[in-house]
Amino acid sequence: MKCVILAGGFGSRISEETHDKPKPMVEIGNKPIIWHIMKYYHHFGVKEFIICLGYKSEVIKKFFIDYYIYNADIEINPYQTEFKLLKNNSEDWTIKLIETGKNSLTGGRIKNIKKYIKNDEDFFMTYGDGLSNVDLNKLLNLHQKNRFIATLTSISQNQKFGKLKINKNKVLNFYEKPKEDFKINGGFFVLNSKIFNYIKSNKTVFEKEPLEKLASIGKLGAHHHTGFWQCMDSLRDKQTLEFIWQKNPPWKIW
């Protein structure tokens, strides 16, 4: 099963770190947060990743190229200015690094990887800035059992994110910026390829019109997660994740 990771945003709310790199490349424990996310999905058997690039995409490309080379056994022939890969000591990941537009919004980034998704295929989707110990198997099972077009992970939080109204496992509506405790979209999705029919253009915000439409027709599911979840939306969030990493990170299950 594939995992699509949105990694093209500007990360303006953590500008202390993102002036020279995209937010998914901000490090937690000397590794970019996107690496932590991919290691987590890999634990559940995911080996194929599609990374949606935008802002400073070259930084992400260079990281993965260097990552595979530095972790491999290689043979160098200086006379022919070439090298040969003898043994790959990295994870058995297949990674597509796709340019989805520097100024594309979240829906547009998803729309731009349509050709890499088969007809009626389910795939994971997440953002490149959040960590959790959500059970991806339960998330997938709920999605497929109910034949939803999209299934999100709901988190109980009192934060600045759009809140959700949920009846059992169906999302009924979205609301913006709650002031009280409510369930929010935690960013760990399963999507069906039918999702592309609900995304109009590069300027579509995935979390608004597409999800609101799916909620209105009963095709947006919600898997309730009560365990660990933390996004990296600010420098303080990064410091929190660094502290947790040094102690006992709940997402480190590999």
Side-chain angles (χ1 to χ4, degrees):
M1 192 162 169
K2 300 180 180 74
C3 177
V4 173
I5 303 177
L6 304 190
F10 291 97
S12 55
R13 285 180 287 186
I14 187 172
S15 58
E16 302 93 338
E17 291 279 342
T18 57
H19 62 280
D20 61 351
K21 58 179 172 283
K23 187 157 65 162
M25 292 304 296
V26 175
E27 292 186 349
I28 305 297
N30 298 318
K31 285 287 194 300
I33 190 170
I34 194 170
W35 177 88
H36 292 262
I37 295 168
M38 293 169 72
K39 290 284 285 186
Y40 188 80
Y41 274 90
H42 188 224
H43 176 79
F44 287 88
V46 177
K47 297 181 180 181
E48 187 170 353
F49 296 90
I50 302 173
I51 301 178
C52 301
L53 304 176
Y55 174 68
K56 293 194 177 294
S57 61
E58 70 279 3
V59 179
I60 297 179
K61 289 179 177 178
K62 184 178 187 301
F63 169 77
F64 283 108
I65 291 170
D66 290 347
Y67 183 70
Y68 276 96
I69 292 175
Y70 293 156
N71 287 286
D73 297 339
I74 61 175
E75 178 182 302
I76 300 174
N77 186 333
Y79 301 103
Q80 297 182 11
T81 62
E82 65 180 20
F83 71 88
K84 179 169 63 175
L85 183 67
L86 298 176
K87 182 181 179 182
N88 178 14
N89 298 313
S90 301
E91 295 83 358
D92 56 342
W93 297 341
T94 299
I95 306 172
K96 290 182 174 66
L97 299 162
I98 308 302
E99 296 286 351
T100 57
K102 186 174 180 180
N103 296 302
S104 295
L105 301 181
T106 48
R109 298 200 186 284
I110 297 169
K111 186 83 168 180
N112 286 331
I113 57 91
K114 178 181 178 180
K115 65 181 179 181
Y116 303 108
I117 303 297
K118 297 176 182 177
N119 186 44
D120 204 31
E121 180 180 3
D122 291 324
F123 59 97
F124 289 113
M125 191 282 284
T126 192
Y127 307 105
D129 63 354
L131 294 169
S132 178
N133 62 350
V134 58
D135 190 323
L136 298 178
N137 289 331
K138 289 183 178 179
L139 172 63
L140 178 60
N141 289 340
L142 175 68
H143 173 84
Q144 294 182 332
K145 179 181 178 181
N146 292 277
R147 300 181 66 84
F148 291 127
I149 294 176
T151 303
L152 55 76
T153 298
S154 65
I155 310 291
S156 294
Q157 285 281 338
N158 179 20
Q159 295 194 27
K160 53 189 173 295
F161 306 96
K163 66 183 181 180
L164 310 172
K165 183 178 181 181
I166 298 173
N167 180 21
K168 295 183 178 179
N169 289 317
K170 284 189 179 180
V171 179
L172 302 181
N173 212 336
F174 272 74
Y175 303 85
E176 290 298 319
K177 297 184 179 180
K179 295 182 179 179
E180 72 281 356
D181 286 332
F182 215 91
K183 289 184 174 62
I184 64 166
N185 166 21
F188 289 81
F189 289 85
V190 178
L191 306 177
N192 183 268
S193 60
K194 295 183 180 69
I195 193 66
F196 299 119
N197 298 328
Y198 296 85
I199 302 173
K200 292 181 179 179
S201 71
N202 280 359
K203 298 302 181 182
T204 299
V205 178
F206 175 68
E207 301 77 11
K208 291 189 176 180
E209 185 177 340
L211 294 190
E212 290 170 354
K213 177 62 178 178
L214 291 179
S216 71
I217 62 174
K219 288 297 183 178
L220 178 59
H223 168 64
H224 310 302
H225 176 60
T226 58
F228 174 82
W229 178 87
Q230 177 66 56
C231 69
M232 190 180 63
D233 208 36
S234 66
L235 184 59
R236 182 177 180 180
D237 294 334
K238 168 187 158 52
Q239 293 167 345
T240 297
L241 288 169
E242 282 278 10
F243 177 79
I244 296 171
W245 177 255
Q246 298 300 326
K247 300 297 181 180
N248 186 25
W251 69 88
K252 189 181 183 301
I253 58 176
W254 58 84

